[in-house]
Amino acid sequence: MSWSNAVYVDVIIVNWNSGAQLSAAVLSIVEHGCSVSKVVVVDNSSSDDSIAILESVRDKCPFQLIVLKNDKNRGFGAACNQGALECDSPYILFLNPDARLKHGTLQTSMEFMEKIENSHIGICGVQLIEESGRVARSCSRFPSVKGFFAYTLGFDRLFPRMGILMTEWDHLNTQEVDQIIGACFLVRRSVFETLHGFDERFFVYFEEVDFSYRAHLLGWRSMYLADVQAFHAGGGTSRQIKARRLFYALRSRLLYVHKHFSRPAAVAVLLMTLILEPLSRSAFALARCSWLNLRETWVAYGLLWRWLPQWVFKGVTQ
């Protein structure tokens, strides 16, 4: 695919207090995103200088740079949907602010997606390189009761194939997978619009799992490309709020199983999450003599228990 007749892509970055990481992500698009038509940055009411730093590099952007500023943190999925309203290219790349494109990231991905034999591929991801230089184990299986049980008791560390995360696979070969991590998530815009975007009930976490599963039900598939890379620091700004990050993950898990699992399966995961998991997390923290992790676990569960009646009786998801 030559760039004289290139198919273009729009990039959406959701920002929340990302500091200089945000401008670094955009500059990586400047350097390696020759098929990018526009970049939409949706700022979820940041209190740092990330947007000011970004504005200082605007003149370097050969594409249209749109910055949308929210007066509150709307959550990741809602902000992605907000950014998508500005997009008109055939493809949308959702890129985390702590990720950066490398040489060929977009070109190779787009060439793959444009092949006729790959017309059933709705979502594409690439090999992610961590700060240490290690290849991230970034792909997952669709959630199941068995997978959640293995994760809760730590069995997935001994028997990785029991778990949801595909940690047993070195991610060195290209293959179809259930779910690509949302850090570098290339989607056909037609698929995104058919699914009406991300489910905004997921404030953060599981929104791309839910999206991938709904796409799968409609016959679309997700492909992981191992011959092209992007950088991903991992954790992002959620490193700043570990207890709240755990709360968000647990809350989104319950919302996911309520939406997609049978009632008996959803109840089983609910009981595991509310009773078994805090005990197992506490045991692991005590075994490591990590009082900080122990405290973070119970702060997160305090938030979860306070939210649960609001969800059950009032339908409050955030």
Side-chain angles (χ1 to χ4, degrees), residues 19-60:
Q21 287 184 324
L22 174 62
S23 57
V26 172
L27 287 174
S28 77
I29 303 171
V30 172
E31 184 176 3
H32 302 299
C34 53
S35 60
V36 172
S37 175
K38 66 179 69 169
V39 172
V40 183
V41 174
V42 185
D43 183 70
N44 265 334
S45 191
S46 294
S47 57
D48 69 352
D49 58 355
S50 51
I51 295 300
I53 298 173
L54 175 64
E55 291 295 341
S56 70
V57 303
R58 179 182 286 274
D59 291 344
K60 298 180 180 180

Side-chain angles (χ1 to χ4, degrees), residues 93-96 99 101 105 124-126 128 180-186 230:
L93 174 68
F94 296 94
L95 187 71
N96 277 14
L101 301 185
T105 303
C124 182
V126 302
L128 298 178
I180 304 293
I181 191 174
C184 188
F185 196 80
L186 180 65

Side-chain angles (χ1 to χ4, degrees), residues 9-201:
V9 58
D10 296 324
V11 182
I12 296 175
I13 303 176
V14 176
N15 178 63
W16 182 75
N17 293 332
S18 299
Q21 287 184 324
L22 174 62
S23 57
V26 172
L27 287 174
S28 77
I29 303 171
V30 172
E31 184 176 3
H32 302 299
C34 53
S35 60
V36 172
S37 175
K38 66 179 69 169
V39 172
V40 183
V41 174
V42 185
D43 183 70
N44 265 334
S45 191
S46 294
S47 57
D48 69 352
D49 58 355
S50 51
I51 295 300
I53 298 173
L54 175 64
E55 291 295 341
S56 70
V57 303
R58 179 182 286 274
D59 291 344
K60 298 180 180 180
C61 299
F63 41 74
Q64 183 182 7
L65 177 62
I66 301 173
V67 178
L68 306 177
K69 297 180 181 180
N70 292 326
D71 57 7
K72 66 176 183 178
N73 190 340
R74 298 187 59 199
F76 182 79
C80 285
N81 291 345
Q82 181 183 358
L85 294 175
E86 305 290 333
C87 298
D88 49 21
S89 293
Y91 294 91
I92 302 174
L93 174 68
F94 296 94
L95 187 71
N96 277 14
D98 64 336
R100 296 196 294 271
L101 301 185
K102 290 179 173 288
H103 176 71
T105 303
L106 275 179
Q107 180 176 352
T108 303
S109 300
M110 299 288 287
E111 288 175 350
F112 174 85
M113 294 291 277
E114 281 296 290
K115 291 180 179 178
I116 295 176
E117 62 267 29
N118 296 328
S119 60
H120 66 295
I121 303 297
I123 304 165
C124 182
V126 302
Q127 189 180 81
L128 298 178
I129 307 300
E130 298 176 341
E131 288 177 304
S132 64
R134 178 179 177 269
V135 175
R137 284 8 181 210
S138 58
C139 298
S140 301
R141 304 173 184 87
F142 288 133
S144 64
V145 174
K146 180 187 75 173
F148 283 129
F149 184 77
Y151 175 79
T152 297
L153 295 181
F155 290 167
D156 58 344
R157 301 178 187 180
L158 298 174
F159 309 101
R161 292 183 184 277
M162 292 181 62
I164 295 169
L165 300 176
M166 301 177 71
T167 56
E168 79 284 354
W169 170 41
D170 60 14
H171 284 59
L172 297 183
N173 60 289
T174 293
Q175 69 176 56
E176 182 181 315
V177 297
D178 284 348
Q179 185 238 315
I180 304 293
I181 191 174
C184 188
F185 196 80
L186 180 65
V187 184
R188 296 184 191 274
R189 187 163 62 90
S190 59
V191 175
F192 189 83
E193 291 177 347
T194 297
L195 295 175
H196 304 291
F198 292 108
D199 186 335
E200 297 184 7
R201 288 174 291 185

